[in-house]
Amino acid sequence: MRRKNQYKKIIRMMATVLALLLMTSLFNGCGKKAEDIQTAYQEPDLITVGFSQVGAESDWRVANTESFRKTMTRSNGVDLMYDDAQQKQDKQIIAIRNFVQQEVDYIVLAPVMETGWDTVLQEANDANIPVIIVDRMVDVEDTSLYKAWIGSDFKREGKIACEWLNKFTIAKGIAPEDINIVDIQGTEGATSQIGRTNGLTEAATLYGWNILAMESADYAQTKGKEVVANLLKQYDNINVVYCENDNEAMGAIEAIEEAGKNPGTDIENGEILVISFDAAHSGLSQVLAGKIALDVECNPLQGEEVLNVINAIENGEEYNKYTYINESIFALDDTVKSVNVDDTNYDITIVTEDIMNSREY
Ligand code: GYE
C-alpha cells in the first residue's frame, strides 16, 4: 500500500519538475526569472482523500463534516473530495467506486449501517487504496479491508445513560415498575443505534423498567417529532423518552409540548423525562432549558485523528487500528454526580452557559 503511495508521490514529483521546466522555458522568453516562477508555482504533492459521508441528517453530522473540512485541508497536505450520500448505502457504494476510479490515495468511509460492505471494500483493497472507517462500524468478514476505525463506544454511551436513569429514579423514589419508556431509535442497523438500543434493553431487563415501544426516527428532528406525537396518542403513561440523538430529542420536545405535556424530571407530576445523545450545542441548550434531563456526549470531532492516521501510514509509523474519542456526560442537575459502567467511573457535568459557549460544536 505504502509502495503504491510512494510510487504516486514519485510520479507527482516528476510531473512537478517537468511542469517547472516547461514553465521556465516558456516564461524565460517573456523575460521572467526562474526563481519568480518557482515561488509562483504551487507544489501539487497533496494526498487525495475521498470521504463518503452519511448525509446531513443531524447537528452531529454537520459538525462531523465540518471537522473533516477544517483538518483535511490543502495546507495540511490533503486534497479532500467529499460525497454526501443522503443516508443511502447504495449512494455510498457508488461514491466509493468513483473514488477508486479516480485513484485517490485514501478512502474515508462513515458508513450509514454496519452490513453490506464486503464487496466494495474488497474493490478498494484490490486497487491498493487504504480505507479508514469513521463513526459507525462496518461488519465485514475480513477486517484487514480497513486500516483503522475512529469513533465512539455507542453501547457504553447507552449503558451510561441507563445507569444515570437508574440512580436518578432511585434518588427520586420512583419504582422501576413505574418507569415507562419509549425508545426513539436511530437509523436501523447503524452501530450507534444498535449500541444505544442494546444499552437500554439490557438495563430495562436488569432493573425491571417497561419499554412501551421502540421505533426509529432516523436521527432526524421532523421524524422524531412525528414518531413521538403518535406514541403519545397511543400511550398515556409514557414518562421517559429515550432519544438516540439530539435532533430526535428536539423533535420529541416539540411533540410533548404540542400534546400539552411538559418535558422535565418531575415524573410523579406528569412531566416526561427526555434522555439524549450527542451533546451538540442544540441539545445542550435544551439541557440548560431543563427540557433534556441527560445528554451523553458523542464527539463528532474526528478529522484530526483521521489525519494523524493518514500521516502515520504515509510515514510508515505505528498507529492504533481502533481509536475511541473522549466524551463527557451532561445533566441538568447534580442529583446524580457520577455513574459506574464496566468498572469505570464517569463524572456528570451540569450544563452552564459558560460550558456551552466554550464548546466547539
Ligand atoms: O449520534 C447522530 C448522527 O452515528 C454517532 O449519527 C452517529 C449518530 C449521531 O446522525 O446524531
Side-chain angles (χ1 to χ4, degrees):
M1 223 79 70
R2 278 203 65 235
R3 210 175 300 142
K4 183 211 164 204
N5 285 336
Q6 276 166 359
Y7 177 65
K8 284 178 100 175
K9 264 190 181 169
I10 292 167
I11 296 212
R12 280 201 210 108
M13 270 165 64
M14 282 167 67
T16 310
V17 172
L18 272 175
L20 277 171
L21 281 175
L22 189 68
M23 287 170 77
T24 310
S25 52
L26 280 176
F27 280 108
N28 268 348
C30 311
K32 278 216 175 194
K33 283 195 228 127
E35 305 96 80
D36 299 338
I37 297 149
Q38 291 232 355
T39 41
Y41 189 74
Q42 282 290 314
E43 161 70 271
D45 190 20
L46 295 171
I47 300 166
T48 52
V49 177
F51 176 32
S52 170
Q53 176 60 294
V54 169
E57 75 283 1
S58 65
D59 296 333
W60 187 97
R61 188 67 55 196
V62 172
N64 183 245
T65 301
E66 187 53 26
S67 159
F68 282 93
R69 285 201 198 281
K70 264 197 188 156
T71 44
M72 302 278 189
T73 57
R74 297 179 88 81
S75 56
N76 281 337
V78 176
D79 182 10
L80 183 69
M81 294 173 216
Y82 169 79
D83 186 90
D84 176 336
Q86 294 164 328
Q87 285 183 280
K88 306 245 168 23
Q89 185 173 36
D90 49 354
K91 289 200 173 174
Q92 294 205 284
I93 291 174
I94 292 170
I96 294 171
R97 292 201 167 125
N98 283 338
F99 292 145
V100 169
Q101 233 173 19
Q102 291 172 62
E103 296 186 7
V104 296
D105 296 319
Y106 290 85
I107 290 174
V108 176
L109 167 65
V112 64
M113 58 181 70
E114 284 190 353
T115 53
W117 301 104
D118 298 79
T119 308
V120 76
L121 293 194
Q122 186 63 55
E123 287 166 23
N125 203 65
D126 292 345
N128 279 329
I129 301 174
V131 173
I132 298 168
I133 309 292
V134 295
D135 172 20
R136 305 166 189 173
M137 219 355 141
V138 289
D139 181 8
V140 285
E141 218 157 276
D142 176 5
T143 54
S144 75
L145 291 180
Y146 55 88
K147 293 280 155 220
W149 170 87
I150 290 138
S152 306
D153 187 336
F154 305 112
K155 175 93 182 272
R156 185 180 63 201
E157 290 174 355
K159 283 180 160 185
I160 287 173
C162 293
E163 272 313 300
W164 179 90
L165 181 63
N166 180 46
K167 285 181 99 174
F168 188 86
T169 47
I170 288 174
K172 299 284 177 190
I174 299 160
E177 60 272 22
D178 292 335
I179 299 173
N180 300 316
I181 307 170
V182 289
D183 179 11
I184 313 305
Q185 297 172 289
T187 302
E188 275 172 87
T191 317
S192 42
Q193 176 272 311
I194 296 169
R196 291 167 188 168
T197 297
N198 287 347
L200 174 64
T201 48
E202 284 177 19
T205 310
L206 184 66
Y207 296 124
W209 304 331
N210 306 309
I211 298 182
L212 301 174
M214 303 172 89
E215 208 174 312
S216 171
D218 233 355
Y219 287 128
Q221 190 156 340
T222 329
K223 189 86 187 285
K225 180 177 177 180
E226 194 184 299
V227 170
V228 174
N230 285 334
L231 291 172
L232 286 168
K233 281 182 203 145
Q234 278 175 55
Y235 304 93
D236 60 6
N237 57 345
I238 297 171
N239 50 22
V240 175
V241 182
Y242 180 94
C243 296
E244 294 186 9
N245 85 338
D246 278 344
N247 291 81
E248 292 182 343
M250 288 188 293
I253 290 166
E254 288 176 56
I256 291 167
E257 288 176 340
E258 281 178 24
K261 302 198 168 190
N262 286 324
T265 54
D266 194 359
I267 290 181
E268 276 165 320
N269 288 308
E271 288 192 340
I272 297 181
L273 188 147
V274 178
I275 288 176
S276 183
F277 297 86
D278 284 354
H281 203 270
S282 51
L284 287 186
S285 61
Q286 296 296 321
V287 181
L288 202 58
K291 297 182 182 188
I292 292 178
L294 178 79
D295 205 349
V296 180
E297 182 182 28
C298 181
N299 193 334
L301 307 179
Q302 298 163 341
E304 201 172 313
E305 208 49 55
V306 173
L307 186 63
N308 290 342
V309 170
I310 289 177
N311 285 330
I313 296 176
E314 285 293 300
N315 301 325
E317 291 161 0
E318 301 258 307
Y319 61 92
N320 290 330
K321 175 128 185 174
Y322 299 93
T323 303
Y324 290 96
I325 305 258
N326 284 338
E327 304 179 319
S328 309
I329 304 138
F330 299 96
L332 46 53
D333 68 20
D334 67 349
T335 306
V336 179
K337 291 181 181 59
S338 70
V339 291
N340 193 283
V341 167
D342 298 331
D343 296 327
T344 306
N345 234 47
Y346 297 92
D347 288 336
I348 314 280
T349 306
I350 304 174
V351 178
T352 61
E353 198 93 35
D354 282 350
I355 288 179
M356 253 180 60
N357 295 335
S358 67
R359 289 167 59 79
E360 243 186 89
Y361 61 95

